[in-house]
Amino acid sequence: MSKATIVLFSGDLDKALAAFVIATGAAASGWDVVLFFTFWGINLVRDPKKKAKKPKDMMSNMFGMMMPNGADALTLSKMHMAGMGTAMMKSRMKAKKVQPLKDMIKDAKELGVKFLVCDMSMDIMGLQKSEFIKEVDEIVGVGTYLKESKDANLTLFI
Amino acid sequence: MSKATIVLFSGDLDKALAAFVIATGAAASGWDVVLFFTFWGINLVRDPKKKAKKPKDMMSNMFGMMMPNGADALTLSKMHMAGMGTAMMKSRMKAKKVQPLKDMIKDAKELGVKFLVCDMSMDIMGLQKSEFIKEVDEIVGVGTYLKESKDANLTLFI
Amino acid sequence: MSKATIVLFSGDLDKALAAFVIATGAAASGWDVVLFFTFWGINLVRDPKKKAKKPKDMMSNMFGMMMPNGADALTLSKMHMAGMGTAMMKSRMKAKKVQPLKDMIKDAKELGVKFLVCDMSMDIMGLQKSEFIKEVDEIVGVGTYLKESKDANLTLFI
């Protein structure tokens, strides 16, 4: 069986879309796919309707507010233009019947894609597991990502 | 034989140069090299002298005008500074006898590098095959990229 | 033995941190790790206390001054906000007992990570070997990077 591991470092909408098109495409073809969410990429798995369970320090609150809260809040890396570019891209995707990111995330999970979140980034950004979408499988260190990548055919950093 | 597949997601001059230095270097050493142009990376294979054959809707026209039209129109991801940084880099490359991106693209093709364009991105951005440089081999889905990557030694997302 | 090669293209603090967390993590687990510093990534291995040995032309001096000089001078790719975001991230890393980039570089070297610098980028940016940190092993062409990547389990472009 083929295998792919993708580090999702970026919190940009366009890069996240590219990552999920590759991930769901691979999983649909029977590949074993592992996503490792780190740094800004963690914003993709935040659930805006969920709250932190433990109290947060000021810095954690600041990071939390400054970063996009969940897949719907991401913006483009280019041509964002105060939201117009991002809105254009989203309406365009709809017209061309390309799924929104949120649905791709659900699909990926149904197809068996593994969602791993980097413990170090989570700690630095002051996020808690209770704030994540239910698709997240595990909070792990870089060692788990490396173990998964050892026998992967395709390894990407996005 | 060794093999490399590169997703060319970025439409930045510096990243495109890095991708083509790796691609031509590998092809010159006998590697099998496949480029998959997606999102902003598609702008690299637009030919500013060519026109769309089918009529375009307003959104496609807007995307087309807002994005860089072809390899010569790309700018740096950093230090662009209203064009000065990009001009500096280009004059510097000339002084150091490094080929411009346009020539690297031609060389890559002569060395047997395969040029695949992502059908979904093309559709979203409203571009047509008739607008591309002649180096483009095929318009394909992510499945073709995955099949090519299965047995690759080197897989990059740029 | 497992092996990883990482192209360090970016000169952003966050991406450099991600690269070094992966590199030191892999090396600590017994992997063979090769870093290939190119383009803005070369700024990571500049030593602000060292000087060029040969005289520099004006363009080289300009590039040298405009780019971050060494690991301590890097800034975030996002949320830099005139320095505040970068300062926040650094203080946060300290609070969470995550090593600063400078220490990760030293650790990587001690763990046997190989530091290769791209000759073409160095030439374009007008940098000289005498300006680099002592961790740098060799100045090489893309061919060396490709040879190292041939049998790597994990290949990333950061």
Side-chain angles (χ1 to χ4, degrees):
Chain A
M1 194 163 75
S2 297
K3 185 174 181 178
T5 69
I6 300 176
V7 178
L8 240 160
F9 169 92
S10 169
D12 297 320
L13 176 61
D14 41 359
K15 290 193 181 169
L17 286 170
F20 273 91
V21 167
I22 295 171
T24 53
S29 312
W31 290 47
D32 193 5
V33 182
V34 177
L35 299 178
F36 183 60
F37 297 88
T38 186
F39 269 82
W40 319 110
I42 296 193
N43 292 316
L44 266 85
V45 294
R46 291 172 71 188
D47 186 333
K49 293 186 299 282
K50 292 191 183 171
K51 297 258 172 268
K53 279 192 178 154
K54 287 166 282 183
K56 285 197 180 195
D57 56 55
M58 196 195 71
M59 197 75 112
S60 298
N61 278 324
M62 276 184 68
F63 265 115
M65 283 187 311
M66 284 157 61
M67 296 184 306
N69 194 350
D72 278 346
L74 303 188
T75 56
L76 295 177
S77 65
K78 302 265 157 184
M79 302 207 324
H80 179 55
M81 301 175 301
M84 198 186 83
T86 300
M88 258 178 82
M89 180 65 77
K90 285 186 180 181
S91 92
R92 190 67 179 178
M93 283 170 62
K94 206 172 170 182
K96 296 293 175 179
K97 297 185 173 54
V98 177
Q99 286 187 309
L101 182 56
K102 233 175 164 174
D103 295 353
M104 286 192 198
I105 291 175
K106 273 181 206 160
D107 268 17
K109 191 75 221 165
E110 274 166 33
L111 289 162
V113 171
K114 211 186 267 184
F115 286 61
L116 305 179
V117 173
C118 171
D119 56 5
M120 197 188 87
S121 305
M122 205 178 121
D123 200 27
I124 289 177
M125 288 169 176
L127 295 170
Q128 299 173 17
K129 211 193 162 179
S130 61
E131 299 175 85
F132 295 152
I133 54 175
K134 63 178 192 306
E135 280 81 0
V136 170
D137 291 290
E138 254 184 295
I139 313 296
V140 300
V142 74
T144 304
Y145 160 71
L146 288 164
K147 216 176 284 173
E148 293 282 7
S149 299
K150 216 169 188 162
D151 59 343
N153 303 61
L154 174 62
T155 57
L156 302 175
F157 182 97
I158 297 184
Chain B
M1 195 163 75
S2 297
K3 185 174 182 178
T5 69
I6 300 176
V7 179
L8 239 159
F9 169 92
S10 169
D12 296 321
L13 176 60
D14 41 359
K15 290 194 181 168
L17 286 169
F20 273 92
V21 167
I22 295 171
T24 54
S29 312
W31 290 47
D32 194 6
V33 182
V34 177
L35 300 178
F36 184 60
F37 296 88
T38 187
F39 268 82
W40 319 111
I42 295 194
N43 292 316
L44 266 85
V45 295
R46 290 173 71 188
D47 187 333
K49 292 189 298 283
K50 291 191 184 170
K51 298 258 172 268
K53 279 194 177 155
K54 287 166 280 181
K56 285 196 180 195
D57 56 54
M58 197 196 69
M59 197 74 115
S60 298
N61 279 323
M62 275 184 69
F63 265 116
M65 284 187 310
M66 284 159 59
M67 297 185 304
N69 194 349
D72 278 347
L74 303 189
T75 56
L76 297 177
S77 64
K78 302 265 158 185
M79 301 208 324
H80 179 56
M81 301 175 301
M84 200 187 82
T86 300
M88 257 177 83
M89 181 63 77
K90 285 187 180 181
S91 91
R92 190 67 179 179
M93 284 170 62
K94 207 173 170 180
K96 295 294 176 179
K97 295 187 174 53
V98 177
Q99 286 188 310
L101 181 57
K102 232 176 165 172
D103 295 353
M104 285 191 198
I105 292 176
K106 273 180 204 160
D107 269 17
K109 191 74 221 167
E110 275 166 31
L111 289 162
V113 172
K114 210 186 266 186
F115 286 60
L116 305 178
V117 174
C118 171
D119 55 5
M120 197 188 87
S121 305
M122 207 177 120
D123 201 27
I124 289 176
M125 288 169 176
L127 294 170
Q128 300 173 16
K129 210 195 163 178
S130 61
E131 299 175 85
F132 294 151
I133 55 175
K134 63 178 189 307
E135 281 80 2
V136 170
D137 290 292
E138 255 183 294
I139 313 298
V140 300
V142 73
T144 305
Y145 160 71
L146 289 165
K147 216 176 284 174
E148 293 282 7
S149 299
K150 216 167 189 165
D151 59 343
N153 305 61
L154 175 63
T155 58
L156 302 175
F157 183 97
I158 297 183
Chain C
M1 194 163 75
S2 297
K3 185 174 181 177
T5 69
I6 300 176
V7 179
L8 238 160
F9 169 92
S10 168
D12 297 321
L13 176 60
D14 42 359
K15 291 194 180 168
L17 285 169
F20 273 91
V21 167
I22 295 171
T24 53
S29 313
W31 290 47
D32 194 5
V33 183
V34 178
L35 299 179
F36 183 59
F37 296 89
T38 187
F39 268 82
W40 318 111
I42 295 194
N43 293 317
L44 267 84
V45 295
R46 291 173 71 189
D47 186 333
K49 292 186 302 283
K50 291 191 184 171
K51 297 258 172 268
K53 278 195 179 153
K54 287 166 281 181
K56 284 197 180 194
D57 56 53
M58 197 195 71
M59 198 74 113
S60 298
N61 278 323
M62 277 183 68
F63 264 115
M65 284 187 308
M66 285 158 58
M67 297 184 304
N69 194 349
D72 278 346
L74 302 189
T75 55
L76 295 178
S77 65
K78 302 265 157 184
M79 300 208 324
H80 178 55
M81 301 175 301
M84 199 188 81
T86 300
M88 257 177 83
M89 180 64 76
K90 285 186 179 181
S91 90
R92 190 68 179 178
M93 283 170 62
K94 208 173 169 180
K96 295 293 175 180
K97 294 188 173 53
V98 177
Q99 287 188 308
L101 182 57
K102 231 175 165 173
D103 294 353
M104 285 192 197
I105 291 175
K106 272 180 205 158
D107 269 17
K109 191 76 221 167
E110 273 165 34
L111 289 163
V113 172
K114 210 186 267 185
F115 286 60
L116 305 178
V117 173
C118 171
D119 54 7
M120 197 188 87
S121 304
M122 204 178 123
D123 201 27
I124 289 177
M125 288 169 174
L127 294 170
Q128 300 172 17
K129 211 193 162 179
S130 60
E131 299 174 84
F132 295 150
I133 56 176
K134 64 177 190 307
E135 280 81 2
V136 170
D137 290 291
E138 255 184 294
I139 313 296
V140 300
V142 73
T144 304
Y145 160 71
L146 289 165
K147 216 175 283 173
E148 294 282 6
S149 299
K150 216 168 188 163
D151 58 343
N153 304 60
L154 175 62
T155 57
L156 303 176
F157 182 97
I158 297 182

